[in-house]
Amino acid sequence: MTGTGLRELKKQRTRDALLRAALELFTTQGYEHTTVDEIADAVEVSQRTFFRYFANKEEVVFAVQDMVESHFVDALRRRPPEEGPFEAMRHAVRSAWDTIGEAIGQVVPVELHMRAYRMIESTPSLIAVHLRRSAELDEQVARLIADREGLDVDTDPRPRVAVAAFAAVMRVTGRLWGQGEDASVEAIRDLTEDYLDHLEPALATDWRAPAGRPARDRTDRTDRTRPDPEDRTRQDAADTPEREAGAHTE
């Protein structure tokens, strides 16, 4: 290995060590209660060295999540063009979950990343950042879907609508997984798969239609309970002689 290669390897090892130390401190004593000095001291480097690799604590806490999101976007770009938007996103996220564990494990233990994700979901100051980052990712994916479908995302709302629905499922499953007892990759993958199975049925018009039967338009069901104007006219005409007879009797 050349001198340049050794220097780059040393830099990568220092960055990974800072990342592991930061996540361990964040998940054990809390994000707000951890300082940059404590992270640097845990790796036996200076604060100045920390800032060579990360701009601030926020950047380090989301570093692995950046990797996960990039992994998903790359997988989506590789999906066959004949797949529809939902099919492509679903296969991409499944592929990402199947392979991301190895990629994360090269940087930090997967279990540590999972604990860090739960910590982000339960830290108020990070939730707002997480939502902003999610919105930015949604826009990136929507533009990618629009390109796949040959659409202009700024004039056709369908890419953003599709991604919003898909991303909502991902956020719900992430939150539920974070509240559960199983913190494994397999647990969140299975939960995500289950909820994605229900995405299309949840978007159906009529939730009350029995499984296996085509959904009816909800307005059809409403119309059957609304009186027909012609029926009302006929009924009024039939009632008129009776009302007149009653008036003569009086």
Side-chain angles (χ1 to χ4, degrees), residues 86-97:
F86 280 117
E87 184 181 9
M89 287 189 288
R90 175 167 188 160
H91 287 162
V93 78
R94 180 189 297 135
S95 173
W97 279 124

Side-chain angles (χ1 to χ4, degrees), residues 1-124:
M1 184 177 291
T2 65
T4 301
L6 287 172
R7 283 194 297 273
E8 292 302 317
L9 179 60
K10 183 178 179 180
K11 288 180 180 178
Q12 186 62 50
R13 286 175 175 171
T14 301
R15 184 183 187 279
D16 292 349
L18 285 167
L19 179 55
R20 284 194 297 273
L23 295 184
E24 284 287 1
L25 288 168
F26 292 155
T27 55
T28 55
Q29 64 185 36
Y31 177 79
E32 301 289 356
H33 297 97
T34 300
T35 66
V36 170
D37 283 337
E38 287 177 311
I39 298 170
D41 288 345
V43 186
E44 298 182 344
V45 299
S46 66
Q47 185 186 86
R48 182 178 178 182
T49 298
F50 174 90
F51 287 117
R52 287 199 194 112
Y53 296 94
F54 302 101
N56 45 45
K57 291 196 304 178
E58 180 184 307
E59 184 175 320
V60 72
V61 78
F62 285 105
V64 179
Q65 190 62 26
D66 272 338
M67 181 193 308
V68 173
E69 292 167 359
S70 297
H71 202 68
F72 165 69
V73 173
D74 289 343
L76 181 58
R77 286 197 178 100
R78 293 193 298 269
R79 296 311 307 170
E82 61 270 15
E83 290 182 349
F86 280 117
E87 184 181 9
M89 287 189 288
R90 175 167 188 160
H91 287 162
V93 78
R94 180 189 297 135
S95 173
W97 279 124
D98 287 344
T99 57
I100 192 60
E102 181 178 352
I104 294 174
Q106 294 175 359
V107 180
V108 299
V110 175
E111 179 270 339
L112 175 58
H113 165 61
M114 294 305 190
R115 283 194 285 127
Y117 184 89
R118 289 185 165 195
M119 180 270 301
I120 290 171
E121 288 281 322
S122 62
T123 304

